[in-house]
Amino acid sequence: MVKKFALGMVAAALVCPSALAQEVTLRAVTAFAEKTTYSRGFEKFIERVNSEGKGKIQINYIGGPKAMPPFEVGNALKTGVVDIANT
């Protein structure tokens, strides 16, 4: 699922002409503690997107519960405070 999402994001960036003009930065947060089993895959995804998407797309990883209470992550995603969430 993560791979499909990444491919979708890259495809969207390539199709939209305005996205080609400048780099897009997305904000990401996780509901789980950093560097744990539940966050490791998400963190690897972010690293891969940031390394392969230089100049096109970058993900600003805010962090986990230290940055945002876990039960507020859904609302933050819904209201646009963050763009990507690992819940």
Side-chain angles (χ1 to χ4, degrees):
M1 171 128 176
V2 172
K3 193 172 187 179
K4 288 181 183 178
F5 178 75
L7 290 174
M9 292 301 295
V10 171
L14 293 176
V15 171
C16 182
S18 64
L20 292 174
Q22 65 186 39
E23 185 176 80
V24 175
T25 302
L26 303 174
R27 293 174 46 108
V29 69
T30 182
F32 308 106
E34 296 91 345
K35 310 285 186 216
T36 62
T37 303
Y38 302 110
S39 291
R40 240 178 261 140
F42 186 63
E43 291 164 355
K44 286 180 184 178
F45 166 74
I46 292 170
E47 288 174 15
R48 186 171 178 184
V49 169
N50 286 343
S51 67
E52 293 179 12
K54 287 195 190 301
K56 295 179 183 167
I57 185 169
Q58 291 293 298
I59 299 175
N60 180 15
Y61 182 48
I62 299 167
K66 292 178 184 175
M68 181 177 293
F71 293 105
E72 291 298 318
V73 172
N75 287 332
L77 184 63
K78 179 179 165 184
T79 58
V81 173
V82 295
D83 302 302
I84 304 172
N86 177 35
T87 57

